[in-house]
Amino acid sequence: MRELYPEIEPHAHGLLDVGDGQSVYWEISGNPDGKPVVFVHGGPGGGTGPLQRRFFDPDLYRIVLFDQRGCGKSLPHIADGASLEFNTTPHLIADMELLREHLGIERWQVFGGSWGSTLGLAYAQAHPERVTELVLRGIFLLRRKEIDWYYNGAAGNVYPAEWAKFLAPVPAEERDSDLVEVYHRLLHSPDEQVALDAAVAWSTWEGATSSLLPAPDRIAETGEARFALAFARIENHYFRHGGFLDEGQLLRDMDRIAHLPGVIVQGRHDIVCPAVSAWDLHTAWPGSTLHIVEDAGHTAHEPGITHHLVEATDLFGKRG
């Protein structure tokens, strides 16, 4: 069973001015002359962390992590009241291209999970000539049925106690409404406590349902105020707008990247991003390899998920 590589520290980092008053945090670790790979984090709004460097052999890879607009170490931060006006999928794709050019990278591997798989696919379809391979986990195609499954009640049948906590900030008379819209109002309430309560409920719903077995540390992390405010507001913003994608766009445009090698890793019991999306992507991308991990949920850090992700990066890293 493959495991994460040992802890490493970045040897370069910075803030890149991407326009619109936004600066994106980036860092590089691993081999400065290695195969470039970009880690695309989830959420949107999740940010990066040291653990994410460890999916890649540091002797083989030049490992690029970056925080998407408004979260992590990027500035300005949504939790500080920054505007979401210039925070859209096209903006994030453009940021990735600007970062690639800034770092002098010709082509790179794209690695992402959950929302990272969404943005990774969207980026690759916009710039297929800049991508060597894709390694994707917990597939999220941002179709309306996926949003409704997770935020409008169906997933609550699997996690009823956690769903009750998600509903707690919502007025009783609105609980049969589109909860993405209701939460938008709550998250941007002029009453700071109302906004914070909504953010924590939104964020911890995902924290509580992401792994096959309970993960108290993950729930605590997602309930931290600054993280929750950015995570919830950014996610809700994107989901209200269909990810700033046409309905079904990512499957529609798979012909643009059908020639690229790809590995898809999916937990059978993923409640956040059910396995049907991974199957639909694999069906539209016959050249991809699909691994369904029978004893896993959504997170990248369940043993079977980690095994297949590291196995994939090892394979592609040795190809050069």
PDB file of all heavy atoms in Angstrom, residues 188-218:
ATOM      1  N   HIS A 188     -24.220  36.434   4.156  1.00  0.00           N
ATOM      2  CA  HIS A 188     -23.907  37.844   3.924  1.00  0.00           C
ATOM      3  C   HIS A 188     -24.795  38.756   4.773  1.00  0.00           C
ATOM      4  O   HIS A 188     -24.975  39.935   4.449  1.00  0.00           O
ATOM      5  CB  HIS A 188     -24.044  38.159   2.434  1.00  0.00           C
ATOM      6  CG  HIS A 188     -23.060  37.400   1.589  1.00  0.00           C
ATOM      7  ND1 HIS A 188     -21.756  37.815   1.403  1.00  0.00           N
ATOM      8  CD2 HIS A 188     -23.184  36.223   0.915  1.00  0.00           C
ATOM      9  CE1 HIS A 188     -21.125  36.936   0.646  1.00  0.00           C
ATOM     10  NE2 HIS A 188     -21.961  35.961   0.340  1.00  0.00           N
ATOM     11  N   SER A 189     -25.301  38.212   5.861  1.00  0.00           N
ATOM     12  CA  SER A 189     -26.125  39.005   6.769  1.00  0.00           C
ATOM     13  C   SER A 189     -25.306  40.133   7.395  1.00  0.00           C
ATOM     14  O   SER A 189     -24.125  39.944   7.726  1.00  0.00           O
ATOM     15  CB  SER A 189     -26.672  38.106   7.891  1.00  0.00           C
ATOM     16  OG  SER A 189     -27.303  38.887   8.893  1.00  0.00           O
ATOM     17  N   PRO A 190     -25.911  41.316   7.573  1.00  0.00           N
ATOM     18  CA  PRO A 190     -25.210  42.389   8.284  1.00  0.00           C
ATOM     19  C   PRO A 190     -24.968  42.048   9.755  1.00  0.00           C
ATOM     20  O   PRO A 190     -24.132  42.679  10.401  1.00  0.00           O
ATOM     21  CB  PRO A 190     -26.143  43.593   8.125  1.00  0.00           C
ATOM     22  CG  PRO A 190     -27.488  43.003   7.836  1.00  0.00           C
ATOM     23  CD  PRO A 190     -27.234  41.743   7.080  1.00  0.00           C
ATOM     24  N   ASP A 191     -25.699  41.078  10.267  1.00  0.00           N
ATOM     25  CA  ASP A 191     -25.477  40.601  11.633  1.00  0.00           C
ATOM     26  C   ASP A 191     -24.317  39.598  11.589  1.00  0.00           C
ATOM     27  O   ASP A 191     -24.457  38.479  11.066  1.00  0.00           O
ATOM     28  CB  ASP A 191     -26.749  39.937  12.156  1.00  0.00           C
ATOM     29  CG  ASP A 191     -26.650  39.517  13.618  1.00  0.00           C
ATOM     30  OD1 ASP A 191     -25.557  39.109  14.045  1.00  0.00           O
ATOM     31  OD2 ASP A 191     -27.679  39.575  14.328  1.00  0.00           O
ATOM     32  N   GLU A 192     -23.178  39.984  12.132  1.00  0.00           N
ATOM     33  CA  GLU A 192     -21.979  39.155  12.025  1.00  0.00           C
ATOM     34  C   GLU A 192     -22.155  37.781  12.658  1.00  0.00           C
ATOM     35  O   GLU A 192     -21.596  36.791  12.176  1.00  0.00           O
ATOM     36  CB  GLU A 192     -20.782  39.878  12.656  1.00  0.00           C
ATOM     37  CG  GLU A 192     -20.362  41.125  11.896  1.00  0.00           C
ATOM     38  CD  GLU A 192     -19.146  41.792  12.508  1.00  0.00           C
ATOM     39  OE1 GLU A 192     -18.609  41.257  13.505  1.00  0.00           O
ATOM     40  OE2 GLU A 192     -18.727  42.840  11.987  1.00  0.00           O
ATOM     41  N   GLN A 193     -22.927  37.692  13.732  1.00  0.00           N
ATOM     42  CA  GLN A 193     -23.127  36.396  14.379  1.00  0.00           C
ATOM     43  C   GLN A 193     -23.974  35.478  13.511  1.00  0.00           C
ATOM     44  O   GLN A 193     -23.703  34.276  13.424  1.00  0.00           O
ATOM     45  CB  GLN A 193     -23.781  36.572  15.747  1.00  0.00           C
ATOM     46  CG  GLN A 193     -23.773  35.289  16.584  1.00  0.00           C
ATOM     47  CD  GLN A 193     -22.356  34.791  16.854  1.00  0.00           C
ATOM     48  OE1 GLN A 193     -21.507  35.531  17.343  1.00  0.00           O
ATOM     49  NE2 GLN A 193     -22.102  33.525  16.538  1.00  0.00           N
ATOM     50  N   VAL A 194     -24.987  36.029  12.846  1.00  0.00           N
ATOM     51  CA  VAL A 194     -25.804  35.234  11.921  1.00  0.00           C
ATOM     52  C   VAL A 194     -24.918  34.684  10.800  1.00  0.00           C
ATOM     53  O   VAL A 194     -24.997  33.501  10.442  1.00  0.00           O
ATOM     54  CB  VAL A 194     -26.952  36.081  11.346  1.00  0.00           C
ATOM     55  CG1 VAL A 194     -27.630  35.356  10.181  1.00  0.00           C
ATOM     56  CG2 VAL A 194     -27.972  36.391  12.431  1.00  0.00           C
ATOM     57  N   ALA A 195     -24.063  35.550  10.252  1.00  0.00           N
ATOM     58  CA  ALA A 195     -23.182  35.130   9.167  1.00  0.00           C
ATOM     59  C   ALA A 195     -22.206  34.054   9.635  1.00  0.00           C
ATOM     60  O   ALA A 195     -21.974  33.057   8.933  1.00  0.00           O
ATOM     61  CB  ALA A 195     -22.432  36.338   8.611  1.00  0.00           C
ATOM     62  N   LEU A 196     -21.639  34.230  10.817  1.00  0.00           N
ATOM     63  CA  LEU A 196     -20.678  33.252  11.324  1.00  0.00           C
ATOM     64  C   LEU A 196     -21.349  31.917  11.624  1.00  0.00           C
ATOM     65  O   LEU A 196     -20.821  30.854  11.285  1.00  0.00           O
ATOM     66  CB  LEU A 196     -19.993  33.785  12.585  1.00  0.00           C
ATOM     67  CG  LEU A 196     -18.984  32.833  13.243  1.00  0.00           C
ATOM     68  CD1 LEU A 196     -17.875  32.448  12.275  1.00  0.00           C
ATOM     69  CD2 LEU A 196     -18.399  33.476  14.504  1.00  0.00           C
ATOM     70  N   ASP A 197     -22.529  31.953  12.249  1.00  0.00           N
ATOM     71  CA  ASP A 197     -23.241  30.702  12.534  1.00  0.00           C
ATOM     72  C   ASP A 197     -23.539  29.942  11.244  1.00  0.00           C
ATOM     73  O   ASP A 197     -23.404  28.712  11.182  1.00  0.00           O
ATOM     74  CB  ASP A 197     -24.540  30.997  13.283  1.00  0.00           C
ATOM     75  CG  ASP A 197     -24.315  31.456  14.722  1.00  0.00           C
ATOM     76  OD1 ASP A 197     -23.183  31.312  15.220  1.00  0.00           O
ATOM     77  OD2 ASP A 197     -25.283  31.969  15.325  1.00  0.00           O
ATOM     78  N   ALA A 198     -23.942  30.672  10.217  1.00  0.00           N
ATOM     79  CA  ALA A 198     -24.234  30.035   8.928  1.00  0.00           C
ATOM     80  C   ALA A 198     -22.966  29.462   8.314  1.00  0.00           C
ATOM     81  O   ALA A 198     -22.971  28.339   7.776  1.00  0.00           O
ATOM     82  CB  ALA A 198     -24.884  31.036   7.985  1.00  0.00           C
ATOM     83  N   ALA A 199     -21.870  30.204   8.396  1.00  0.00           N
ATOM     84  CA  ALA A 199     -20.610  29.742   7.815  1.00  0.00           C
ATOM     85  C   ALA A 199     -20.123  28.465   8.488  1.00  0.00           C
ATOM     86  O   ALA A 199     -19.692  27.515   7.819  1.00  0.00           O
ATOM     87  CB  ALA A 199     -19.553  30.841   7.926  1.00  0.00           C
ATOM     88  N   VAL A 200     -20.201  28.433   9.810  1.00  0.00           N
ATOM     89  CA  VAL A 200     -19.749  27.245  10.539  1.00  0.00           C
ATOM     90  C   VAL A 200     -20.649  26.048  10.213  1.00  0.00           C
ATOM     91  O   VAL A 200     -20.156  24.920  10.018  1.00  0.00           O
ATOM     92  CB  VAL A 200     -19.713  27.528  12.058  1.00  0.00           C
ATOM     93  CG1 VAL A 200     -19.494  26.240  12.844  1.00  0.00           C
ATOM     94  CG2 VAL A 200     -18.616  28.542  12.372  1.00  0.00           C
ATOM     95  N   ALA A 201     -21.959  26.264  10.133  1.00  0.00           N
ATOM     96  CA  ALA A 201     -22.876  25.165   9.805  1.00  0.00           C
ATOM     97  C   ALA A 201     -22.607  24.630   8.404  1.00  0.00           C
ATOM     98  O   ALA A 201     -22.585  23.410   8.176  1.00  0.00           O
ATOM     99  CB  ALA A 201     -24.325  25.638   9.935  1.00  0.00           C
ATOM    100  N   TRP A 202     -22.389  25.530   7.452  1.00  0.00           N
ATOM    101  CA  TRP A 202     -22.107  25.125   6.064  1.00  0.00           C
ATOM    102  C   TRP A 202     -20.804  24.343   6.005  1.00  0.00           C
ATOM    103  O   TRP A 202     -20.732  23.261   5.405  1.00  0.00           O
ATOM    104  CB  TRP A 202     -22.035  26.371   5.181  1.00  0.00           C
ATOM    105  CG  TRP A 202     -21.676  26.125   3.748  1.00  0.00           C
ATOM    106  CD1 TRP A 202     -20.455  25.780   3.250  1.00  0.00           C
ATOM    107  CD2 TRP A 202     -22.559  26.183   2.613  1.00  0.00           C
ATOM    108  NE1 TRP A 202     -20.507  25.639   1.886  1.00  0.00           N
ATOM    109  CE2 TRP A 202     -21.783  25.879   1.473  1.00  0.00           C
ATOM    110  CE3 TRP A 202     -23.916  26.488   2.461  1.00  0.00           C
ATOM    111  CZ2 TRP A 202     -22.322  25.871   0.184  1.00  0.00           C
ATOM    112  CZ3 TRP A 202     -24.452  26.473   1.169  1.00  0.00           C
ATOM    113  CH2 TRP A 202     -23.676  26.164   0.049  1.00  0.00           C
ATOM    114  N   SER A 203     -19.764  24.886   6.620  1.00  0.00           N
ATOM    115  CA  SER A 203     -18.431  24.299   6.525  1.00  0.00           C
ATOM    116  C   SER A 203     -18.345  22.959   7.260  1.00  0.00           C
ATOM    117  O   SER A 203     -17.765  21.987   6.747  1.00  0.00           O
ATOM    118  CB  SER A 203     -17.411  25.284   7.080  1.00  0.00           C
ATOM    119  OG  SER A 203     -16.096  24.814   6.925  1.00  0.00           O
ATOM    120  N   THR A 204     -18.927  22.877   8.469  1.00  0.00           N
ATOM    121  CA  THR A 204     -18.821  21.630   9.234  1.00  0.00           C
ATOM    122  C   THR A 204     -19.708  20.519   8.664  1.00  0.00           C
ATOM    123  O   THR A 204     -19.440  19.342   8.911  1.00  0.00           O
ATOM    124  CB  THR A 204     -19.148  21.850  10.717  1.00  0.00           C
ATOM    125  OG1 THR A 204     -20.438  22.454  10.847  1.00  0.00           O
ATOM    126  CG2 THR A 204     -18.103  22.737  11.377  1.00  0.00           C
ATOM    127  N   TRP A 205     -20.749  20.874   7.922  1.00  0.00           N
ATOM    128  CA  TRP A 205     -21.526  19.851   7.199  1.00  0.00           C
ATOM    129  C   TRP A 205     -20.587  19.070   6.282  1.00  0.00           C
ATOM    130  O   TRP A 205     -20.598  17.839   6.259  1.00  0.00           O
ATOM    131  CB  TRP A 205     -22.653  20.517   6.413  1.00  0.00           C
ATOM    132  CG  TRP A 205     -23.292  19.701   5.331  1.00  0.00           C
ATOM    133  CD1 TRP A 205     -23.357  20.020   4.008  1.00  0.00           C
ATOM    134  CD2 TRP A 205     -24.007  18.457   5.449  1.00  0.00           C
ATOM    135  NE1 TRP A 205     -24.042  19.062   3.292  1.00  0.00           N
ATOM    136  CE2 TRP A 205     -24.446  18.086   4.157  1.00  0.00           C
ATOM    137  CE3 TRP A 205     -24.294  17.614   6.528  1.00  0.00           C
ATOM    138  CZ2 TRP A 205     -25.176  16.922   3.913  1.00  0.00           C
ATOM    139  CZ3 TRP A 205     -25.020  16.434   6.275  1.00  0.00           C
ATOM    140  CH2 TRP A 205     -25.446  16.104   4.983  1.00  0.00           C
ATOM    141  N   GLU A 206     -19.719  19.776   5.557  1.00  0.00           N
ATOM    142  CA  GLU A 206     -18.773  19.081   4.694  1.00  0.00           C
ATOM    143  C   GLU A 206     -17.715  18.358   5.518  1.00  0.00           C
ATOM    144  O   GLU A 206     -17.337  17.229   5.212  1.00  0.00           O
ATOM    145  CB  GLU A 206     -18.121  20.060   3.714  1.00  0.00           C
ATOM    146  CG  GLU A 206     -17.250  19.373   2.690  1.00  0.00           C
ATOM    147  CD  GLU A 206     -16.949  20.236   1.476  1.00  0.00           C
ATOM    148  OE1 GLU A 206     -17.777  21.092   1.113  1.00  0.00           O
ATOM    149  OE2 GLU A 206     -15.881  20.038   0.877  1.00  0.00           O
ATOM    150  N   GLY A 207     -17.235  19.008   6.584  1.00  0.00           N
ATOM    151  CA  GLY A 207     -16.228  18.369   7.420  1.00  0.00           C
ATOM    152  C   GLY A 207     -16.718  17.079   8.038  1.00  0.00           C
ATOM    153  O   GLY A 207     -15.956  16.115   8.184  1.00  0.00           O
ATOM    154  N   ALA A 208     -18.008  17.026   8.387  1.00  0.00           N
ATOM    155  CA  ALA A 208     -18.564  15.856   9.070  1.00  0.00           C
ATOM    156  C   ALA A 208     -18.896  14.713   8.129  1.00  0.00           C
ATOM    157  O   ALA A 208     -19.051  13.572   8.574  1.00  0.00           O
ATOM    158  CB  ALA A 208     -19.815  16.256   9.845  1.00  0.00           C
ATOM    159  N   THR A 209     -19.011  14.988   6.840  1.00  0.00           N
ATOM    160  CA  THR A 209     -19.478  13.969   5.895  1.00  0.00           C
ATOM    161  C   THR A 209     -18.410  13.560   4.883  1.00  0.00           C
ATOM    162  O   THR A 209     -18.693  12.763   3.990  1.00  0.00           O
ATOM    163  CB  THR A 209     -20.713  14.483   5.130  1.00  0.00           C
ATOM    164  OG1 THR A 209     -20.389  15.710   4.461  1.00  0.00           O
ATOM    165  CG2 THR A 209     -21.876  14.726   6.069  1.00  0.00           C
ATOM    166  N   SER A 210     -17.188  14.065   5.031  1.00  0.00           N
ATOM    167  CA  SER A 210     -16.168  13.849   4.003  1.00  0.00           C
ATOM    168  C   SER A 210     -15.458  12.514   4.103  1.00  0.00           C
ATOM    169  O   SER A 210     -14.939  12.023   3.102  1.00  0.00           O
ATOM    170  CB  SER A 210     -15.130  14.975   4.046  1.00  0.00           C
ATOM    171  OG  SER A 210     -15.679  16.187   3.585  1.00  0.00           O
ATOM    172  N   SER A 211     -15.391  11.930   5.276  1.00  0.00           N
ATOM    173  CA  SER A 211     -14.636  10.687   5.426  1.00  0.00           C
ATOM    174  C   SER A 211     -15.577   9.529   5.760  1.00  0.00           C
ATOM    175  O   SER A 211     -16.674   9.729   6.278  1.00  0.00           O
ATOM    176  CB  SER A 211     -13.569  10.834   6.514  1.00  0.00           C
ATOM    177  OG  SER A 211     -14.138  11.276   7.723  1.00  0.00           O
ATOM    178  N   LEU A 212     -15.112   8.344   5.450  1.00  0.00           N
ATOM    179  CA  LEU A 212     -15.937   7.172   5.684  1.00  0.00           C
ATOM    180  C   LEU A 212     -16.232   6.993   7.169  1.00  0.00           C
ATOM    181  O   LEU A 212     -17.352   6.657   7.558  1.00  0.00           O
ATOM    182  CB  LEU A 212     -15.239   5.926   5.133  1.00  0.00           C
ATOM    183  CG  LEU A 212     -16.006   4.617   5.229  1.00  0.00           C
ATOM    184  CD1 LEU A 212     -17.305   4.684   4.439  1.00  0.00           C
ATOM    185  CD2 LEU A 212     -15.145   3.454   4.736  1.00  0.00           C
ATOM    186  N   LEU A 213     -15.220   7.241   8.004  1.00  0.00           N
ATOM    187  CA  LEU A 213     -15.370   7.155   9.455  1.00  0.00           C
ATOM    188  C   LEU A 213     -15.258   8.553  10.055  1.00  0.00           C
ATOM    189  O   LEU A 213     -14.646   9.446   9.458  1.00  0.00           O
ATOM    190  CB  LEU A 213     -14.298   6.237  10.045  1.00  0.00           C
ATOM    191  CG  LEU A 213     -14.339   4.782   9.553  1.00  0.00           C
ATOM    192  CD1 LEU A 213     -13.170   3.992  10.130  1.00  0.00           C
ATOM    193  CD2 LEU A 213     -15.663   4.126   9.903  1.00  0.00           C
ATOM    194  N   PRO A 214     -15.840   8.780  11.218  1.00  0.00           N
ATOM    195  CA  PRO A 214     -15.800  10.119  11.822  1.00  0.00           C
ATOM    196  C   PRO A 214     -14.370  10.641  11.959  1.00  0.00           C
ATOM    197  O   PRO A 214     -13.448   9.895  12.296  1.00  0.00           O
ATOM    198  CB  PRO A 214     -16.448   9.902  13.187  1.00  0.00           C
ATOM    199  CG  PRO A 214     -17.338   8.712  13.008  1.00  0.00           C
ATOM    200  CD  PRO A 214     -16.616   7.824  12.042  1.00  0.00           C
ATOM    201  N   ALA A 215     -14.213  11.952  11.702  1.00  0.00           N
ATOM    202  CA  ALA A 215     -12.900  12.592  11.772  1.00  0.00           C
ATOM    203  C   ALA A 215     -13.037  13.879  12.581  1.00  0.00           C
ATOM    204  O   ALA A 215     -13.202  14.962  12.014  1.00  0.00           O
ATOM    205  CB  ALA A 215     -12.375  12.882  10.372  1.00  0.00           C
ATOM    206  N   PRO A 216     -12.989  13.777  13.922  1.00  0.00           N
ATOM    207  CA  PRO A 216     -13.201  14.956  14.773  1.00  0.00           C
ATOM    208  C   PRO A 216     -12.259  16.113  14.471  1.00  0.00           C
ATOM    209  O   PRO A 216     -12.651  17.282  14.549  1.00  0.00           O
ATOM    210  CB  PRO A 216     -12.984  14.410  16.187  1.00  0.00           C
ATOM    211  CG  PRO A 216     -13.268  12.944  16.071  1.00  0.00           C
ATOM    212  CD  PRO A 216     -12.805  12.547  14.708  1.00  0.00           C
ATOM    213  N   ASP A 217     -11.008  15.816  14.128  1.00  0.00           N
ATOM    214  CA  ASP A 217     -10.057  16.880  13.834  1.00  0.00           C
ATOM    215  C   ASP A 217     -10.488  17.666  12.597  1.00  0.00           C
ATOM    216  O   ASP A 217     -10.342  18.899  12.545  1.00  0.00           O
ATOM    217  CB  ASP A 217      -8.654  16.309  13.621  1.00  0.00           C
ATOM    218  CG  ASP A 217      -8.048  15.787  14.915  1.00  0.00           C
ATOM    219  OD1 ASP A 217      -8.596  16.085  16.000  1.00  0.00           O
ATOM    220  OD2 ASP A 217      -7.032  15.069  14.832  1.00  0.00           O
ATOM    221  N   ARG A 218     -11.000  16.967  11.609  1.00  0.00           N
ATOM    222  CA  ARG A 218     -11.459  17.633  10.386  1.00  0.00           C
ATOM    223  C   ARG A 218     -12.668  18.518  10.682  1.00  0.00           C
ATOM    224  O   ARG A 218     -12.774  19.639  10.174  1.00  0.00           O
ATOM    225  CB  ARG A 218     -11.812  16.586   9.327  1.00  0.00           C
ATOM    226  CG  ARG A 218     -12.450  17.114   8.058  1.00  0.00           C
ATOM    227  CD  ARG A 218     -11.541  18.057   7.311  1.00  0.00           C
ATOM    228  NE  ARG A 218     -12.150  18.504   6.062  1.00  0.00           N
ATOM    229  CZ  ARG A 218     -11.761  19.580   5.385  1.00  0.00           C
ATOM    230  NH1 ARG A 218     -10.770  20.314   5.838  1.00  0.00           N
ATOM    231  NH2 ARG A 218     -12.356  19.907   4.266  1.00  0.00           N
TER     232      ARG A 218
END
